[in-house]
């Protein structure tokens, strides 16, 4: 057997995403990313967008859902990326942010986003 080639494919960010995230940060809006992607892909995208910054936390859904209530309250403010997240993980994140006194807006494009959209103060789908 002879290896002939290795190919990598990257789906580039849409135009304006970096600027939109930067505008949110300038306006005092904290941007968090919840995705079904694996943690390495999620980290790469979050870095490119400007969502993941020094001191932030990236976590996978299976670990997030095992956290105790107090641990959730400690992690959620610094959580910037939630990878391999389930619909329930997204809903819990929104609920904890609201519990901490945050006004929460959620964007979503699928039925798996419905619980978080419903729980949020503002939902865009």
């Amino acid at each position: 057997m002879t290896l002939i080639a290795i190919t990598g494919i990257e789906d580039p960010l849409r135009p304006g995403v970096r600027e939109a995230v930067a505008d949110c940060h300038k306006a005092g809006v904290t941007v968090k990313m919840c995705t079904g992607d694996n943690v390495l892909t999620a980290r790469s995208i979050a870095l490119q967008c400007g969502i993941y910054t020094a001191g932030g936390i990236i976590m996978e859904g299976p670990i997030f859902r095992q956290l105790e209530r107090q641990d959730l309250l400690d992690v959620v403010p610094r959580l910037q990326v939630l990878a391999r997240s389930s619909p329930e993980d997204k809903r819990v994140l929104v609920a904890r942010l609201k519990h901490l006194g945050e006004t929460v807006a959620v964007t979503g494009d699928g039925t798996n986003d419905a619980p978080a959209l419903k729980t949020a103060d503002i939902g865009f789908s």
Side-chain angles (χ1 to χ4, degrees):
M1 298 184 92
T2 303
L3 176 64
I4 296 173
I6 297 176
T7 303
I9 299 173
E10 181 178 23
D11 190 9
L13 295 178
R14 292 181 181 165
V17 170
R18 286 182 195 92
E19 295 80 7
V21 171
D23 288 346
C24 286
H25 288 157
K26 287 177 194 169
V29 175
T30 303
V31 179
K32 298 181 185 292
M33 182 173 88
C34 296
T35 179
D37 288 334
N38 75 60
V39 71
L40 295 176
T41 301
R43 182 182 188 279
S44 175
I45 294 167
L47 276 169
Q48 291 176 50
C49 293
I51 293 172
Y52 180 58
T53 58
I57 295 173
I58 296 176
M59 187 175 286
E60 289 184 310
I63 295 168
F64 180 78
R65 68 183 75 109
Q66 290 178 0
L67 294 174
E68 298 293 330
R69 181 179 172 92
Q70 185 56 49
D71 293 331
L72 269 176
L73 294 176
D74 294 338
V75 166
V76 164
R78 291 186 34 229
L79 183 67
Q80 293 176 335
V81 179
L82 186 57
R84 290 286 184 220
S85 60
S86 71
E88 181 61 13
D89 296 335
K90 295 174 188 182
R91 188 199 64 75
V92 167
L93 177 59
V94 170
R96 291 294 160 245
L97 286 165
K98 288 179 69 173
H99 176 78
L100 292 169
E102 300 290 342
T103 300
V104 182
V106 172
T107 63
D109 63 356
T111 57
N112 62 331
D113 298 310
L117 287 162
K118 183 176 180 183
T119 305
D121 296 299
I122 304 162
F124 300 98
S125 65

